[in-house]
Amino acid sequence: MSNSTVMDSKTAWGGNNVSPYGASYGKLMMWFFLISDALTFTGFLSAYGFYRHYYSSIWPSAENVFTHFPFMHGNHPLLYVALMTFILIMSSVTMVLAVEAGHRMDKKGVTLWLGLTLIGGAIFLGSQAWEWYHFIHGTELGAIELGKGYFTLPDGTVESTKGIIARWTDESKQALLLPWKDGADYITITGAQLNEFITNGKEIHGANLTHNEYGHPLFGDFFFFITGFHGTHVFSGVVINFIVFVNVIMGTYQKRGHYEMVEKVGLYWHFVDLVWVFVFTFFYLI
Amino acid sequence: MEHSHDHHTPEPYKYAVHHSEEEGKKTRRVIWNMFWVLLGITTVEVTLGLIWKNIGISWGVVKMTFIILTIAKAYYIVAYYMHLKHEVKALKNTIIVPFVLFALYLLYHIITEGVYSGMMEKWLY
């Protein structure tokens, strides 16, 4: 860090050009915004943790929900979301390389790395749309959402069946699995009781804000809210990066004598990656 | 605006730092090292998520491992990619202290109120 551009009096904020933070106004405000945004996500994820724990017996496991991979058949739990995580980390790397190129006033370098960051962000958004499509669409087999009523477990506990999701054991649709266990295995329903459950219940495919084929509807709600809120951040990040990218090509920052704007949008972009690291762990892994 | 650098005038703050080709090389090495660290941690997480049932570790241990690895990943992103490690102390504290305090406050409420969640079922519905 050899030489630096001294701030002009218009962008400095009093105090005789001295900042106790050693940062410009814009950079500091970006940091403050990120703190408040981080707390919003902390709130989302804590609430998610609460309900996940509260309904732990009937909460779906993400590895049973997100099993698709483009152009591949069969079951690939975690694989696609791992790829998405890799893409976002990669775009964070290209972003920080763009910032580094900016410090050397290397316009070509900034253009290249920021361009790659844009592509990474766009691929991530596409992947998220694809993931949402599969979650909303659900499986062909579907599941039965049970109607009003009560079910007595082998140990004598009485459970309300309203809204409980029962999965088919296989494609023949001859037996339903309840989310409650008898010993180590889930309780299986067949025969007359099965028909009764089907008549009282409702066949559902996929998920929306009120129904969820894979388990508790709150799982769907949190999925849509958390990944949706994060996706909105990625989207606005891509838009902001694009605006800065155009400015880089036009030479705006070269004329200004520094690429601090790339640093500021870089902070935002890394934050988006940071949030995804937490979403990945708490939503998909735990 | 030019400054005279006598002992009574503090340094004007560094704005839009520039660095040389060699310094750039060093910075890039750090960036790529951090990339391998982040990729490595993610690979460990995904592998553990897929195989933990087959190698006989308890879910509690796996869960704690995930959380620790995630916080490690967050540290590397914030410290190196967001450059917070090399900012002045005042800035570091201004960013980290309020966030950690509020995050702990949220977690405290989730955990303490969570104790009553069993009663929610009995008394509310």
Side-chain angles (χ1 to χ4, degrees):
Chain A
M1 317 276 160
S2 50
N3 49 60
S4 64
T5 312
V6 176
M7 216 167 189
D8 62 75
S9 53
K10 253 192 254 166
T11 39
W13 40 329
N16 203 16
N17 248 353
V18 177
S19 163
Y21 296 115
S24 69
Y25 176 83
K27 210 158 139 185
L28 197 61
M29 291 307 129
M30 178 55 87
W31 268 112
F32 286 159
F33 163 69
L34 294 184
I35 298 177
S36 68
D37 220 14
L39 285 167
T40 308
F41 279 106
T42 314
F44 269 152
L45 286 172
S46 328
Y48 171 81
F50 177 83
Y51 280 105
R52 196 218 179 290
H53 183 73
Y54 184 58
Y55 292 111
S56 57
S57 62
I58 51 173
W59 202 259
S61 166
E63 62 176 34
N64 298 328
V65 180
F66 307 103
T67 56
H68 304 278
F69 200 90
F71 315 114
M72 272 164 80
H73 285 285
N75 235 9
H76 306 285
L78 284 177
L79 201 60
Y80 193 58
V81 72
L83 179 71
M84 282 166 74
T85 306
F86 172 75
I87 290 165
L88 211 54
I89 288 178
M90 207 54 227
S91 81
S92 228
V93 175
T94 55
M95 183 44 119
V96 79
L97 287 169
V99 173
E100 193 276 321
H103 286 159
R104 285 183 285 112
M105 296 303 287
D106 172 9
K107 184 181 162 184
K108 252 190 188 162
V110 181
T111 312
L112 169 72
W113 294 118
L114 198 58
L116 288 175
T117 310
L118 274 174
I119 294 170
I123 297 175
F124 183 85
L125 277 178
S127 309
Q128 212 164 31
W130 192 83
E131 189 111 303
W132 273 48
Y133 170 81
H134 277 273
F135 185 57
I136 293 168
H137 196 71
T139 59
E140 212 162 292
L141 194 58
I144 301 292
E145 185 183 308
L146 304 184
K148 259 190 183 154
Y150 293 95
F151 184 80
T152 314
L153 302 188
D155 66 358
T157 333
V158 179
E159 296 274 5
S160 165
T161 54
K162 192 176 177 346
I164 295 293
I165 299 295
R167 291 173 296 140
W168 296 107
T169 45
D170 54 45
E171 314 239 322
S172 63
K173 294 191 177 186
Q174 293 304 307
L176 276 175
L177 286 174
L178 292 182
W180 303 299
K181 281 183 176 176
D182 177 15
D185 298 319
Y186 286 105
I187 296 164
T188 316
I189 298 295
T190 47
Q193 205 176 16
L194 174 70
N195 291 332
E196 197 186 315
F197 271 5
I198 294 172
T199 338
N200 288 337
K202 196 176 139 195
E203 193 181 331
I204 50 168
H205 298 272
N208 55 34
L209 288 175
T210 46
H211 300 281
N212 176 9
E213 175 194 324
Y214 304 96
H216 203 284
L218 274 175
F219 176 88
D221 297 345
F222 276 113
F223 177 79
F224 290 129
F225 266 89
I226 296 176
T227 67
F229 201 57
H230 176 262
T232 312
H233 278 75
V234 180
F235 177 71
S236 48
V238 170
V239 171
I240 296 164
N241 284 351
F242 180 72
I243 295 168
V244 172
F245 181 67
V246 172
N247 271 303
V248 169
I249 292 175
M250 293 191 336
T252 310
Y253 309 121
Q254 202 76 21
K255 266 180 238 147
R256 199 177 283 175
H258 59 78
Y259 279 84
E260 209 210 28
M261 194 56 86
V262 180
E263 248 175 283
K264 284 186 275 193
V265 297
L267 280 178
Y268 181 72
W269 192 254
H270 297 312
F271 170 76
V272 166
D273 180 27
L274 184 66
V275 170
W276 184 255
V277 163
F278 281 89
V279 172
F280 175 62
T281 299
F282 290 107
F283 218 96
Y284 292 92
L285 291 176
I286 291 186
Chain B
M1 208 161 97
E2 280 300 315
H3 267 280
S4 59
H5 287 266
D6 57 75
H7 290 293
H8 303 289
T9 322
E11 282 279 304
Y13 62 84
K14 282 182 179 131
Y15 176 66
V17 195
H18 293 124
H19 61 217
S20 64
E21 194 59 49
E22 304 96 80
E23 282 167 318
K25 224 177 214 169
K26 252 186 250 164
T27 312
R28 285 196 295 274
R29 197 176 313 134
V30 173
I31 292 169
W32 284 108
N33 283 347
M34 283 307 125
F35 165 72
W36 290 113
V37 170
L38 293 173
L39 184 65
I41 295 177
T42 309
T43 313
V44 170
E45 282 179 333
V46 173
T47 316
L48 192 62
L50 291 174
I51 65 162
W52 72 272
K53 279 175 194 155
N54 308 325
I55 53 174
I57 325 173
S58 79
W59 176 232
V61 174
V62 176
K63 202 154 63 174
M64 282 322 289
T65 313
F66 283 153
I67 292 173
I68 291 165
L69 289 178
T70 302
I71 291 172
K73 237 157 99 176
Y75 168 79
Y76 288 122
I77 292 174
V78 174
Y80 293 95
Y81 285 1
M82 297 173 90
H83 207 253
L84 196 61
K85 199 182 175 193
H86 304 290
E87 302 289 358
V88 300
K89 210 175 172 192
L91 180 57
K92 277 187 208 169
N93 289 341
T94 311
I95 306 303
I96 293 165
V97 174
F99 174 73
V100 170
L101 280 180
F102 275 110
L104 288 178
Y105 175 75
L106 271 169
L107 283 176
Y108 164 78
H109 275 291
I110 290 295
I111 291 165
T112 53
E113 301 304 307
V115 173
Y116 301 103
S117 61
M119 294 180 188
M120 201 161 100
E121 187 98 307
K122 264 187 202 129
W123 304 107
L124 280 179
Y125 308 120

